[in-house]
Amino acid sequence: MLSQNPTTVAWWSVRMRATGTLDDEPYHVSGAESLVAPGMIEQTVAGLTQRALAPGHTVKARQVRVSLDQLDVEPTIIPALPTELKECPDPVAARQYFVDVLSRFVPHPAEALRVLTEGPTMRGAAMVEAGTDRRLEADPLRGVRVTKFGDLTESAPGASLAHKKHHHEAVLLASKVAAAPGVLAEFCISDDPHYTRGYVCVDGVYTTVTNVKADGDPNGGRVILVDTARADPTTITTWLENHPVLIGPATASSQKATSWHGHLCGRLNAWRAAGLERRPRTFCSAQDPDAVTTDGPALLFSSSDYLGLSTEPKVQQAMNNTVRRLGSSSGGSRLTTGTSVAHHQAEHEIAAWLGYPQAVFMASGYQANIATIQLLADPHVTVISDAENHASLIDGCRLARARTVVVPHADLDAIDTALDCVTTDRALVLTEGVYSMGGDVAPVGELVEIAHRHGALVVVDDAHGIGTVGPTGRGATEELPASQRPDVLLGTASKALGVEGGFACVDETLATLMRNCARGYVFSSAPSPVVAAGVAAAVEYLRTDTRRVCSLQANVAQARLLLAEADLIPPSAAHDRGPIIRIPVGPESRAVAAQEELARRGLMVGAIRYPAVARGDAILRICLTARHTDEHIRILVTSLREVLDGALSDAPR
């Protein structure tokens, strides 16, 4: 091992590429790279040259190029991965092991396996998005290259490069991949015809897999599975290809701390560089249209307090009465001390209002969604999920480790086709009622008919529909007959109901199962009884008085008509019913510039960017409420037209 501190050395990248000819065509013979200190450059060049010219290659090297580049940034030090061995008797068993691990992350593991065993050989790796099977590398023939890493585990790494050591070099490469932001797992089968081992790197362990292919098989490949919610493909690729890393046992706690700090700073800086950092404003008033923040007054068009019930006196009075009677805290989980008469009342009111036998109340909509999906789905369930589903629904599928098939937005034919192809024991169709980014209403009735014809369960998250659409505000399912209602209706109390919390409307059997086995319900402290009382009061208010619902729906219709006439939304969106209106903008930088200019004019409008929407498809997201006036809406439309068509017409697009 090196005796000096490796991060104080001026490190160099030494690369070797050897080529020859095969059938009169250029042929890659050998290639290697290492990060080395100045004192090791000579022996490294000699070792790499010896490796290029060594006998035993399929083709003799006719040209050897060695390049040296001094690093301009300090390498990150990471530990090598711990290793294990998976003995498989033959390629069939080995590939089944690959499929079993892949199925944790992708809906079609056989497709990823084909990249490893049948696809055209590429020098780099395929980058695949977990949950969708989507290929993300910019050039599928080139793939993603993993470069700029050095070995701190040997005393003379330069000399050792003279001979290829499959296992050792693979562990080094996999260690860098595993340390990259957003990477979940890596799978590799060597394209060396006579090297019959591969590896799986998952959960921080490198596992060698024997007998992955027959001796003489020239096929091979690598697949890197990534989570794009943690890092975008460009950030991951840049880290793998350009960020220097030194790999060896971490021997000092200070090195570990530095490594962690550098890792976190790198993630944050990459997020900022992509224009994705958020700086929320701080409110000094309630969520009224004429709101006040620490930056001054603002005409608010980004609040989900759609009906203004957060300031309704009847709701506030119920909460005040309850805090005096039951206190401010639940004191525990729902299964210990956390269930009060207020919780029972909230669940009774929700279930009766929305027409279900039971409602299970939790601390937030996000928690209710994750807890419900994690309970219903598992690796033996295929989830058919709409491409525009909320992050909480996506996270629920991931936590359940269910096989997830993502279908195009609101595409009933795609859902029908996906259900035809289900091979698991059970299937579940997952959608929103009113979509959180566009405000369009899902065709729930037709969807339920298709799903039930296939024996599938239907779960609808109507967080933005309950209280806003339907003749009396009962959401996207209000007018549906019993045969077309979803099996599970998810909702939240933090939007139109003006309080907090989330809930699942279900039958008696599922309600009992959830109260005993849903992890988000069992292992979380219950919401405050004060919150539960506010929810019950809000529902009771809407059961007897729908004037606010009517006002909201009138505002939505007027705003959509005016925005369509101003060519700010497509004509097809003019008749959508949801209180969320999507204004397409494009690049993140243009959306942020529009948001800032609107704020300068006194309007608070959200610029929604990746990962809430696709990269490069940023939007301005308008949220209308029952308390907006005709004048408020006129100011909004005029300002949007001027900002998007005038002031920002020269902004990058």
Side-chain angles (χ1 to χ4, degrees), residues 394-579:
I394 296 170
D395 290 349
C397 295
R398 290 174 176 171
L399 286 170
R401 296 182 176 178
R403 295 192 176 186
T404 304
V405 178
V406 179
V407 294
H409 176 53
D411 190 331
L412 295 174
D413 289 337
I415 293 171
D416 198 8
T417 300
L419 287 168
D420 274 334
C421 299
V422 168
T423 58
T424 53
D425 298 340
R426 294 171 302 282
L428 184 155
V429 178
L430 185 59
T431 184
E432 294 185 48
V434 172
Y435 282 92
S436 56
M437 287 298 120
D440 51 317
V441 180
V444 175
E446 296 167 89
L447 185 152
V448 169
E449 288 186 344
I450 292 171
H452 284 179
R453 188 171 69 247
H454 289 273
L457 198 75
V458 178
V459 178
V460 174
D461 173 17
D462 206 18
H464 293 272
I466 293 171
T468 69
V469 301
T472 63
R474 286 171 167 83
T477 67
E478 178 173 354
E479 296 181 279
L480 297 177
S483 62
Q484 293 184 337
R485 291 175 66 77
D487 303 286
V488 179
L489 179 65
L490 299 168
T492 179
S494 64
K495 304 187 188 310
L497 297 184
V499 197
E500 293 293 339
F503 52 85
C505 293
V506 293
D507 63 22
E508 299 280 358
T509 301
L510 183 51
T512 302
L513 184 64
M514 291 184 69
R515 290 179 175 128
N516 283 273
C517 301
R519 297 178 67 83
Y521 181 92
V522 173
F523 295 107
S524 174
S525 291
S528 165
V530 179
V531 168
V535 173
V539 173
E540 184 180 3
Y541 179 95
L542 291 179
R543 291 180 72 180
T544 58
D545 189 341
T546 60
R547 286 176 295 176
R548 293 185 189 230
V549 175
C550 295
S551 296
L552 171 63
Q553 293 176 353
N555 284 344
V556 169
Q558 180 187 6
R560 287 187 178 277
L561 177 63
L562 294 177
L563 289 166
E565 290 176 349
D567 292 326
L568 292 169
I569 61 174
S572 59
H575 302 293
D576 284 334
R577 294 178 287 148

Side-chain angles (χ1 to χ4, degrees), residues 44-182:
T44 300
V45 171
L48 290 174
T49 303
Q50 182 180 345
R51 177 171 174 161
L53 300 177
H57 294 303
T58 304
V59 172
K60 183 178 180 180
R62 304 293 299 272
Q63 184 179 63
V64 179
R65 293 185 178 182
V66 179
S67 61
L68 290 83
D69 296 286
Q70 187 173 12
L71 301 183
D72 55 5
V73 297
E74 184 177 285
T76 298
I77 300 173
I78 64 172
L81 292 170
T83 62
E84 294 182 353
L85 178 65
K86 174 69 175 178
E87 294 274 10
C88 293
D90 52 46
V92 173
R95 295 182 183 190
Q96 184 59 50
Y97 174 72
F98 274 71
V99 167
D100 290 343
V101 180
L102 282 163
S103 66
R104 290 175 48 185
F105 303 99
V106 293
H108 301 105
E111 293 295 328
L113 185 65
R114 271 193 280 273
V115 176
L116 298 171
T117 60
E118 301 176 14
T121 299
M122 54 184 174
R123 303 311 308 169
M127 184 186 296
V128 176
E129 184 177 37
T132 68
D133 285 323
R134 188 162 58 102
R135 293 281 292 271
L136 301 176
E137 67 272 16
D139 183 350
L141 294 180
R142 176 184 183 275
V144 177
R145 311 287 179 90
V146 182
T147 61
K148 288 189 170 57
F149 58 93
D151 185 4
L152 295 180
T153 66
E154 296 193 357
S155 58
S160 71
L161 289 169
H163 307 284
K164 185 174 181 67
K165 297 185 291 183
H166 281 282
H167 180 265
H168 182 71
E169 294 177 13
V171 171
L172 295 178
L173 181 147
S175 298
K176 177 173 183 179
V177 173

Side-chain angles (χ1 to χ4, degrees), residues 146-216:
V146 182
T147 61
K148 288 189 170 57
F149 58 93
D151 185 4
L152 295 180
T153 66
E154 296 193 357
S155 58
S160 71
L161 289 169
H163 307 284
K164 185 174 181 67
K165 297 185 291 183
H166 281 282
H167 180 265
H168 182 71
E169 294 177 13
V171 171
L172 295 178
L173 181 147
S175 298
K176 177 173 183 179
V177 173
V183 169
L184 299 176
E186 182 191 11
F187 303 80
C188 177
I189 294 178
S190 173
D191 60 2
D192 185 327
H194 305 296
Y195 190 74
T196 60
R197 296 187 170 198
Y199 68 80
V200 171
C201 181
V202 66
D203 299 330
V205 177
Y206 176 103
T207 301
T208 300
V209 185
T210 64
N211 294 315
V212 295
K213 65 180 184 179
D215 185 49

Side-chain angles (χ1 to χ4, degrees), residues 329-454:
S329 171
S330 66
S333 70
R334 290 294 301 272
L335 294 185
T336 56
T337 63
T339 296
S340 70
V341 291
H343 294 88
H344 282 313
Q345 183 64 22
E347 290 174 332
H348 172 76
E349 290 287 348
I350 292 168
W353 183 49
L354 297 176
Y356 279 79
Q358 287 280 336
V360 181
F361 186 60
M362 301 188 208
S364 72
Y366 190 99
Q367 183 184 50
N369 287 2
I370 287 180
T372 303
I373 297 167
Q374 192 178 13
L375 178 75
L376 293 172
D378 58 37
H380 302 290
V381 172
T382 297
V383 177
I384 313 299
S385 178
D386 189 282
E388 293 193 10
N389 275 343
H390 188 263
S392 60
L393 303 177
I394 296 170
D395 290 349
C397 295
R398 290 174 176 171
L399 286 170
R401 296 182 176 178
R403 295 192 176 186
T404 304
V405 178
V406 179
V407 294
H409 176 53
D411 190 331
L412 295 174
D413 289 337
I415 293 171
D416 198 8
T417 300
L419 287 168
D420 274 334
C421 299
V422 168
T423 58
T424 53
D425 298 340
R426 294 171 302 282
L428 184 155
V429 178
L430 185 59
T431 184
E432 294 185 48
V434 172
Y435 282 92
S436 56
M437 287 298 120
D440 51 317
V441 180
V444 175
E446 296 167 89
L447 185 152
V448 169
E449 288 186 344
I450 292 171
H452 284 179
R453 188 171 69 247
H454 289 273

